[in-house]
């Protein structure tokens, strides 16, 4: 496995791979089994796999956890090596933005996708995401790029960007990897140290499952269904630190809110447990699998 930190090294290796097919997995590091499932998907569709590891300052707001975001370089590189990655691009901000961010060109995704859900509490977040992802696409020039459904709004925005700007890459969605109890894997889960935090983190997937259950029982009106799901799952006296940011339903293709639930509705949730912000989502008609852990991380030593 090669590890490069500069654009010029990346480009010279990429030049050697003219006849290969390349699948790309952009990440912010602190790799977990969810990332590894994307890497495995990438390996199954291409002859070379490139992973980028870069905590992108552009996508963090001024009061967000950019500085506190976990950085685990040695472990990440070891996991990439063990999972058959061919090339890791590990740039720093000086390399990607030598002039700083003040006057750079931004990619602004369309408002109908950003003025809802995570876009409301994280203004500028998706502009930061789209800008770095386009830049990485231009550097890696992959045939495929694998993105997790875990970040469904991000995935929808990237798919839109690729279509609107005719970027020659195929976006490959990958399913959400979960812990045995349903909690979606996330680099931020390591900031949920206590059992109580962990119980509260489970409320996200429990809310999604409650909506699915009500839908199966025949409820269709979005407002009523989401309200009832919240009543059933959230008990303030039991979960004092849990702050729901949103529980919402969109059409999976248009990513626009729906008043009536249908099989192609996607249910999305975001919440804070203390300082930790978590998100999750599912198609309403696709069961969330409990007790089926993704392959655990194995480290040689
Ligand atoms: P991040 O490092 O959080 O920026 O995520 C990098 C990629 O991994 C994104 O495409 C995420 O959607 C994806 N990802 C993060 N968590 C999971 C998960 N639990 N299951 C599947 N993909 C994930």
């Amino acid at each position: 496995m090669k590890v490069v930190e500069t654009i010029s090294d990346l480009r010279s290796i990429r030049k050697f791979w003219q006849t290969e097919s390349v699948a790309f997995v952009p990440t912010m590091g602190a790799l977990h089994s969810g990332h590894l499932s994307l890497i495995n998907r990438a390996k199954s569709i291409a002859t070379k796999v490139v992973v980028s590891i870069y905590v992108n300052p552009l996508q963090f707001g001024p009061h967000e956890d950019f500085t506190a975001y976990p950085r685990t370089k040695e472990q990440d590189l070891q996991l990439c090596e063990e999972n058959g990655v061919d090339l890791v691009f590990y740039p720093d901000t000086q390399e990607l933005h030598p002039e700083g961010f003040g006057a750079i060109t931004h990619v602004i995704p369309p408002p109908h996708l950003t003025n809802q859900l995570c876009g409301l509490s994280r203004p500028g977040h998706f502009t930061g995401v789209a800008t770095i992802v386009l830049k990485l696409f231009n550097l890696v020039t992959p045939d495929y790029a694998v993105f997790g459904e875990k970040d469904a709004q991000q995935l929808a925005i990237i798919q839109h960007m690729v279509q609107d700007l005719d970027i020659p890459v195929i976006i490959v969605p990958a399913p959400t990897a979960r812990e045995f109890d349903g909690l979606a894997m996330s680099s931020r889960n390591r900031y949920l140290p206590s059992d109580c935090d962990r119980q509260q983190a489970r409320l996200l997937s429990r809310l999604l499952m409650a909506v699915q259950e009500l839908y199966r029982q025949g409820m269709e009106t979005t407002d009523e269904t989401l309200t009832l799901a919240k009543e059933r799952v959230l008990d303030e006296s039991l979960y004092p630190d849990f702050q729901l940011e949103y529980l919402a339903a969109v059409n999976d293709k248009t990513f626009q809110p729906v008043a009536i639930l249908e099989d192609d509705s996607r249910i999305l949730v975001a919440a804070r447990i203390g300082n930790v912000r978590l998100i999750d989502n599912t198609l309403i008609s696709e069961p969330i699998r409990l007790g089926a852990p993704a392959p655990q991380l194995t480290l040689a030593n």
Side-chain angles (χ1 to χ4, degrees), residues 105-159:
T105 302
H106 288 91
V107 179
I108 303 175
H112 77 279
L113 293 178
T114 56
N115 65 11
Q116 53 168 336
L117 307 168
C118 292
L120 287 181
S121 64
R122 306 190 72 187
H125 169 69
F126 289 114
T127 292
V129 170
T131 302
I132 193 68
V133 169
L134 179 59
K135 189 173 170 81
L136 290 169
F137 282 174
N138 285 334
L139 294 172
V140 176
T141 61
D143 300 288
Y144 305 93
V146 186
F147 285 85
E149 286 171 0
K150 156 86 178 358
D151 297 276
Q153 191 174 11
Q154 166 176 286
L155 175 59
I157 285 168
I158 299 296
Q159 279 170 324

Side-chain angles (χ1 to χ4, degrees), residues 156-177:
I157 285 168
I158 299 296
Q159 279 170 324
H160 219 277
M161 174 180 84
V162 163
Q163 199 177 336
D164 290 345
L165 303 182
D166 295 307
I167 305 170
V169 62
I170 295 168
I171 302 299
V172 179
T176 300

Side-chain angles (χ1 to χ4, degrees), residues 282-298:
T282 182
L283 259 189
I284 200 164
S285 48
E286 199 175 81
I288 289 181
R289 288 183 207 293
L290 292 179
Q296 290 304 298
L297 301 189
T298 46

